[in-house]
Amino acid sequence: MLPAATLGTPCSRALAAIDAFGGDEAESRLTIWQPSVVEFSEGVRQVTHAVQRVGVDEKALEGLVDQFRGEVVLAGDPSYEEHRKVWNGSIDRYPAVTARCAGVADVLASVTFARGTGLPIAVRSGGHSFPGLSVCDGGIVIDLSLMKGVRIDPERRTVRAQAGVLLGELDRETQAFGMAVPAGIVTHTGMAGLTLGGGIGWLMRKYGLTVDQLLSVDVVTADGRLVTASEEENADLFWGVRGAGGNFGIVTEFEFRLNPVGPQVLAGPIAWPMERSAEVLRFYRDWIVDVPDDLTTIVVHRRMPTAPFVPAELHGRPAVMVICCYAGPIEVGEKVIAPMKAFDSPILDLCIPKPFVAHQSMFDPSFPHGWWYYFRSCNIASLSDEVIDIVAEWAPKMTSPLTAFPIFQLGGAIARVGEDEMAFHGRTAGHTINLNATTATREGFDEEREWSRSFWTELKPYHTDVYVNFLMEEGEDRVREAYGAAKYDRLKALKRKYDPDNFFRLNQNIPPG
């Protein structure tokens, strides 16, 4: 065991779960005891009572904790279970160290410490990574969730936000000034990861993607430097982080352009029985051809939720919904959306004027922390008759009452940004389809996941590319597809410059080789 003097130092609580290696290494190496994880087929995992040893330099760990303003969490710490968990309940991983950073100095110290250990690192903002890339087994999690600073400049119409800010927290601050950053559809999503992969959401057709609003970033690089990247400074890095995620470093702060929004928008779902899906989608396809960019829509197939705003007689009924968000004058939006509302006697119409922040949080109850999620996604050029027929056939085959898969309407301001202006790819796509399989626990998860995979395979002839934030761990070819061959090669060259040994590799990875 550690000497009593060591246990009395400022890092004593963090070191309480640590034991020393025997032999000559006892004074310099520590063993962090980790639960043993057994992998089975299809990603099923079993945690046993056996332990594995992860060697960490004692002085290095003491040095990290002594200078750390945040919190260093190890196995055995009372908060370990809380902080190892991520949004997707199907992800069950056990990091050796979780460094909960309170500021940039903590991030710099964490990177320096992690490089010295040789252990894998994961970077977490909101923990919403679909495949769970914000946590790792036996490695180090650099957790940015304590970094919550937001600063608005209403005259310049800009906002600076630290990497731990969630979408709802950002909206709360910006809407106080009648402005917003286009960002996502679930408010407990981390702003950082969403932005670095692109950022689709309710305002994207009017103002573009989240990443299109980005003016500058502060980045901690793999060699432990803090640099600023913008169009004027480290422009190559700025090009890469706008779409290629955390491949090049840890972004600790973002500067965004703000846009006037609300506070009222015309928004909400219009629903029909799911058996009418083909007819609804064909009418919808023709209707959206001429709608203004103030309108963004998402088509959702699901069973009607058991929620106060849904009449009891509709609870659990399979439905297809066209969910609207009109971010222009309400009276104009009413005329624009009227044809969709009038089509074929909807069973529910909740598309009404409401605060933007209320609409932005509408999906939150459908995507809580801890449920089991699996996704397969693709971009398509259009809702052709063939695609519509596949959707109408496969949507009713979902079995879980929690599954709800969206078809995002793209175009508008997204397509007006040049394809080569940043790493993000796929601006000419017509729609993003995200086949989300959801269960509350492991029960039924395998069946629902197979539904997602089979549905995705049926759509494969119509795939154009894929939105990188919607990838699971699907291999290098799928990552290349997310950027296109030319951009992928450019990104690999950029990786060789900023992270030649692939220190930041637990992501949708672009290897430097």
Side-chain angles (χ1 to χ4, degrees):
M1 296 295 292
L2 291 172
T6 302
L7 292 175
T9 64
C11 62
S12 59
R13 185 179 61 79
L15 297 177
I18 297 178
D19 204 344
F21 278 118
D24 295 337
E25 295 180 311
E27 295 184 358
S28 62
R29 302 292 295 175
L30 297 173
T31 302
I32 298 178
W33 297 91
Q34 290 289 107
S36 180
V37 180
V38 181
E39 296 280 355
F40 297 96
S41 62
E42 295 293 335
V44 176
R45 299 155 63 84
Q46 176 177 311
V47 181
T48 72
H49 293 294
V51 295
Q52 58 183 337
R53 293 181 169 189
V54 179
V56 176
D57 182 86
E58 176 181 347
K59 289 184 179 179
L61 184 57
E62 285 185 345
L64 173 68
V65 179
D66 284 345
Q67 66 178 304
F68 215 70
R69 188 162 63 91
E71 180 184 15
V72 176
V73 180
L74 306 175
D77 186 280
S79 64
Y80 178 79
E81 278 296 308
E82 173 190 355
H83 296 307
R84 77 172 184 85
K85 292 179 180 178
V86 291
W87 167 75
N88 188 346
S90 74
I91 307 301
D92 188 27
R93 295 176 185 154
Y94 292 80
V97 179
T98 298
R100 305 190 68 225
C101 302
V104 174
D106 284 354
V107 178
L108 289 165
S110 299
V111 167
T112 300
F113 169 73
R115 288 206 72 99
T117 68
L119 298 175
I121 69 156
V123 181
R124 177 188 302 171
S125 170
H128 257 256
S129 165
F130 286 2
L133 296 173
S134 46
V135 67
C136 56
D137 278 324
I140 298 168
V141 174
I142 300 178
D143 186 343
L144 311 175
S145 61
L146 296 177
M147 298 173 61
K148 297 287 192 182
V150 178
R151 189 176 73 217
I152 309 287
D153 186 334
E155 293 187 3
R156 292 182 60 234
R157 289 191 171 183
T158 61
V159 57
R160 297 191 69 91
Q162 289 185 306
V165 172
L166 305 181
L167 300 188
E169 295 165 345
L170 183 63
D171 289 336
R172 182 180 183 277
E173 300 298 328
T174 59
Q175 277 288 278
F177 298 90
M179 293 182 282
V181 177
I185 61 172
V186 174
T187 65
H188 48 75
T189 305
M191 173 271 298
L194 177 109
T195 300
L196 295 174
I200 62 179
W202 289 116
L203 302 174
M204 61 185 172
R205 284 176 36 81
K206 182 168 186 173
Y207 291 124
L209 304 168
T210 312
V211 77
D212 296 339
Q213 322 307 314
L214 205 53
L215 300 174
S216 69
V217 290
D218 291 344
V219 186
V220 174
T221 59
D223 58 0
R225 295 178 297 126
L226 178 67
V227 302
T228 297
S230 67
E231 293 284 9
E232 293 76 33
E233 188 176 359
N234 296 306
D236 58 345
L237 179 59
F238 191 55
W239 181 89
V241 299
R242 287 180 294 165
N247 269 283
F248 310 107
I250 300 174
V251 177
T252 59
E253 188 165 315
F254 299 74
E255 182 185 18
F256 294 103
R257 179 187 308 108
L258 286 170
N259 304 276
V261 173
Q264 294 283 308
V265 294
L266 180 62
I270 311 163
W272 298 261
M274 193 182 290
E275 59 264 27
R276 302 290 294 164
S277 175
E279 293 87 348
V280 171
L281 285 173
R282 284 184 169 87
F283 182 87
Y284 166 82
R285 173 190 63 193
D286 296 339
W287 170 63
I288 62 173
V289 169
D290 295 321
V291 297
D293 295 348
D294 283 348
L295 177 67
T296 297
T297 62
I298 302 175
V299 178
V300 173
H301 291 75
R302 65 163 302 161
R303 294 186 189 179
M304 296 289 275
T306 303
F309 56 84
V310 177
E313 63 270 18
L314 295 179
H315 289 176
R317 182 170 179 180
V320 53
M321 309 178 194
V322 175
I323 307 175
C324 303
C325 181
Y326 190 89
I330 299 296
E331 62 277 9
V332 177
E334 289 172 339
K335 294 177 181 177
V336 170
I337 299 174
M340 198 75 244
K341 284 172 167 274
F343 176 73
D344 197 29
S345 302
I347 57 174
L348 186 68
D349 182 354
L350 298 177
C351 185
I352 59 175
K354 65 184 66 172
F356 171 70
V357 290
H359 182 65
Q360 182 79 333
S361 63
M362 181 188 70
F363 279 141
D364 288 6
S366 296
F367 296 96
H369 289 78
W371 282 1
W372 286 45
Y373 301 97
Y374 179 83
F375 303 84
R376 292 307 300 265
S377 186
C378 62
N379 289 344
I380 60 172
S382 65
L383 288 171
S384 64
D385 285 342
E386 293 80 5
V387 168
I388 288 173
D389 289 343
I390 293 170
V391 171
E393 176 188 355
W394 279 85
K397 295 180 180 180
M398 66 175 77
T399 58
S400 170
L402 306 180
T403 290
F405 75 88
I407 303 173
F408 295 83
Q409 176 196 11
L410 304 178
I414 301 168
R416 289 195 290 272
V417 176
E419 186 60 59
D420 294 330
E421 290 187 28
M422 61 187 73
F424 180 86
H425 180 70
R427 292 186 179 275
T428 60
H431 300 271
T432 290
I433 300 179
N434 196 25
L435 302 173
N436 164 30
T438 306
T439 57
T441 64
R442 177 177 292 171
E443 184 178 356
F445 184 67
D446 290 348
E447 294 81 0
E448 204 72 352
R449 177 174 55 190
E450 187 56 38
W451 165 83
S452 174
R453 290 169 171 166
S454 298
F455 191 170
W456 179 87
T457 299
E458 289 294 315
L459 288 168
K460 197 166 185 178
Y462 308 99
H463 295 187
T464 57
D465 42 44
V466 62
Y467 174 40
V468 71
N469 276 351
F470 286 170
L471 285 175
M472 299 298 284
E473 290 189 88
E474 301 177 36
E476 185 174 358
D477 286 346
R478 283 283 277 167
V479 177
R480 182 184 293 106
E481 183 182 344
Y483 298 109
K487 278 188 179 178
Y488 189 75
D489 288 345
R490 182 175 173 181
L491 288 165
K492 286 174 75 72
L494 198 63
K495 182 78 167 178
R496 288 193 290 272
K497 176 178 178 180
Y498 285 98
D499 186 15
D501 57 357
N502 209 9
F503 177 67
F504 298 111
R505 61 185 179 274
L506 293 184
N507 45 45
Q508 298 299 345
N509 193 233
I510 300 165

